Amino acid sequence: MDSTFFDKHLERRGTGAFKWEAHKNPGPYYTPVPEEDVVPMWIADMDFETAPSIVERMMERVKHPAYGYYLPSAEYFDAIANWHATRYGNPMVKREYILNHTSVLAGVGAAVEAFTLPGENILINQTTYTGFQSTVKNLGRNLVYSPLVKDEKGVWRMNFEEMEKLIVANKISLMIFCSPHNPTGRVWEKWEIENVVNLCGKLGVKIVSDEIWADFVVDPTCKHIPTQSVSDLAKEIVTANYAPSKTFNLAGLQGSYSVTYNKQMRDKIDKIGSTTHSNAVSLLTLEACIGAYTGGAEYVDEMLKYVRKNQELMVDYFNTCEGVSVDLPQGTYVLWVNFDGLCDDVGVIRDKLREVGVITTDGRGFHGKTYLRFNCACPRANCEKAIKAMKKVFKSK
Ligand SMILES: Cc1ncc(COP(=O)(O)O)c(C=O)c1O
């Protein structure tokens, strides 16, 4: 496999792909997008084919014409454990720690239900992925935000002093920790994760760690460190959520898993899932996960290199634009682009980009008022098309 695999144009129009269809719906803030010029760079799914090992595995299973009730196989659990050992350097994951969920948000939601009561406050860093906001709100809990701040080198950092104050003042017993962080792309360093764990441990706060982006370390000098791997305390107070969905473009199959070492915590999460049987995962999703984790490593390595080149291309372009600033992220396939040199509120920029076909994620939903998020997991030709279109919108320096 080489970069030409990811260069391939995969026609997704007409397949019901949300990324390629949603712009047609006239919503409250609707700006028409010219259909022939459309380059969707918003929702976090990829315009790449998934790994061949996944397709083969699923095809093979489809050939056996019975799709009744099945148990996750030992092969499934072994594939997960082996992926964590070889990709994240954590050989500690065992079959009994793993619970299934229909999605990562469902897993995070189960932890929210297990460890807080309606009306309680939950700590999270800001900016923040929209899904956390809606899930927590829908479950009748409140998010308390601790903003990330840029240090003197322009690196987004957590403000531990403020987090401590917020925990005490708001009687917080659960933190949602996003690692790597969407949308800033931070891949947290070990000392940062240790600080989060020690702070929470000291104040009796449990952590639900969302590591859906664990595979997306695009800066070769960084490494994803599973939150639970930093200490024994972390194993006691953290439940972590993973899925092959982001990494291999499988979100439409619905399926994820959590890892929880602490039995009491795990039993509570399990109870939430078993109550409505939402802990049952689709047969084909299990097959896809095995295909991903046993045969997809080369795909991920090549894909990350490809995505990095896309991000560099886009950042190089933005650096020529007046009023626009962006850094290459350490992780994820997105770019978190700041337009504060052009506006106080990004709506106007978002709309201008839609008018030339480029659809982005509106940063306001993430509490980034002057930001747009660009998804670079697409054939390079799409990035080139977007850049060409954006030249009609932005002035060069
Ligand atoms: C941090 C984070 N968590 C969860 C999700 C959603 O995952 P799922 O579709 O499995 O709920 C996303 C999707 O972009 C995400 O960025």
Side-chain angles (χ1 to χ4, degrees):
M1 184 174 292
D2 58 21
S3 63
T4 55
F5 182 89
F6 301 99
D7 275 332
K8 275 186 277 181
H9 170 73
L10 180 66
E11 185 55 69
R12 299 183 73 197
R13 275 180 262 222
T15 65
F18 197 42
K19 192 179 190 180
W20 289 84
E21 299 293 337
H23 62 275
K24 297 176 190 163
N25 299 330
Y29 306 110
Y30 179 65
T31 307
V33 178
E35 195 50 45
E36 65 285 2
D37 296 330
V38 69
V39 192
M41 302 188 91
W42 64 293
I43 196 169
D45 83 6
M46 312 201 289
D47 289 319
F48 304 134
E49 285 178 28
T50 192
S53 59
I54 296 175
V55 181
E56 282 156 24
R57 184 90 198 190
M58 286 172 60
M59 296 284 244
E60 209 37 53
R61 183 59 189 81
V62 168
K63 280 190 209 156
H64 187 274
Y67 314 112
Y69 294 112
Y70 288 87
L71 291 170
S73 59
E75 197 184 6
Y76 167 70
F77 292 111
D78 289 348
I80 292 175
N82 194 42
W83 188 260
H84 283 248
T86 55
R87 305 292 298 191
Y88 315 145
N90 179 19
M92 304 280 289
V93 174
K94 291 192 188 144
R95 174 187 183 142
E96 62 262 33
Y97 304 155
I98 297 170
L99 296 173
N100 292 314
H101 307 276
T102 47
S103 72
V104 166
L105 277 179
V108 171
V112 166
E113 284 196 87
F115 305 123
T116 62
L117 292 169
E120 272 189 40
N121 297 316
I122 295 170
L123 183 69
I124 197 161
N125 293 120
Q126 191 186 46
T127 54
T128 305
Y129 165 57
T130 45
F132 296 139
Q133 299 172 48
S134 50
T135 300
V136 169
K137 187 167 173 242
N138 293 341
L139 290 169
R141 278 77 167 169
N142 315 306
L143 283 177
V144 171
Y145 298 97
S146 175
L148 301 175
V149 275
K150 277 197 171 178
D151 69 9
E152 60 290 350
K153 290 190 181 138
V155 180
W156 290 104
R157 299 281 183 192
M158 285 176 272
N159 180 345
F160 296 107
E161 266 177 43
E162 189 201 46
M163 284 162 67
E164 176 155 6
K165 282 187 194 141
L166 289 173
I167 289 173
V168 175
N170 295 284
K171 299 190 174 57
I172 280 169
S173 61
L174 182 69
M175 174 178 180
I176 300 177
F177 182 53
C178 188
S179 175
H181 186 260
N182 173 18
T184 63
R186 267 311 310 282
V187 174
W188 304 112
E189 292 170 50
K190 191 164 181 227
W191 68 268
E192 293 175 296
I193 302 171
E194 281 169 348
N195 275 11
V196 172
V197 168
N198 292 340
L199 176 65
C200 288
K202 181 174 89 174
L203 300 172
V205 175
K206 293 187 173 56
I207 300 171
V208 50
S209 183
D210 179 327
E211 301 183 33
I212 195 172
W213 292 97
D215 294 307
F216 285 95
V217 178
V218 281
D219 177 339
T221 66
C222 299
K223 188 179 170 343
H224 174 70
I225 299 169
T227 307
Q228 287 161 322
S229 72
V230 299
S231 61
D232 287 342
L233 173 62
K235 289 180 188 58
E236 274 308 296
I237 66 169
V238 179
T239 174
N241 285 270
Y242 300 88
S245 57
K246 201 64 63 193
T247 316
F248 294 93
N249 214 21
L250 306 174
L253 287 177
Q254 296 293 112
S256 78
Y257 60 93
S258 58
V259 176
T260 316
Y261 294 73
N262 177 325
K263 188 172 178 322
Q264 267 184 333
M265 282 179 73
R266 195 167 65 239
D267 287 348
K268 281 193 169 173
I269 297 170
D270 196 23
K271 198 167 168 214
I272 304 288
S274 0
T275 308
T276 55
H277 292 244
S278 67
N279 56 359
V281 176
S282 131
L283 171 65
L284 283 185
T285 305
L286 297 173
E287 292 297 325
C289 184
I290 298 170
Y293 284 172
T294 57
E298 189 194 350
Y299 172 94
V300 178
D301 292 339
E302 287 303 319
M303 184 267 291
L304 292 179
K305 282 191 256 167
Y306 191 91
V307 163
R308 187 51 157 190
K309 288 215 170 111
N310 281 354
Q311 289 175 326
E312 284 168 355
L313 183 72
M314 295 282 287
V315 167
D316 284 350
Y317 166 66
F318 284 127
N319 282 339
T320 69
C321 300
E322 215 173 71
V324 182
S325 53
V326 60
D327 298 313
L328 273 172
Q330 297 171 331
T332 78
Y333 50 59
V334 301
L335 292 178
W336 185 232
V337 188
N338 194 355
F339 296 90
D340 67 347
L342 298 176
C343 65
D344 294 330
D345 183 294
V346 84
V348 54
I349 306 289
R350 184 202 84 127
D351 290 349
K352 280 188 182 164
L353 290 179
R354 283 176 71 97
E355 281 161 22
V356 297
V358 181
I359 310 174
T360 59
T361 297
D362 193 323
R364 290 174 296 183
F366 288 69
H367 301 187
K369 208 173 163 217
T370 58
Y371 285 81
L372 294 173
R373 196 191 69 172
F374 289 71
N375 174 348
C376 298
C378 56
R380 189 136 317 129
N382 293 22
C383 293
E384 286 160 355
K385 193 173 166 186
I387 290 170
K388 198 168 163 210
M390 289 193 290
K391 286 184 176 163
K392 295 182 215 154
V393 175
F394 302 121
K395 283 195 201 135
S396 46
K397 278 178 184 159

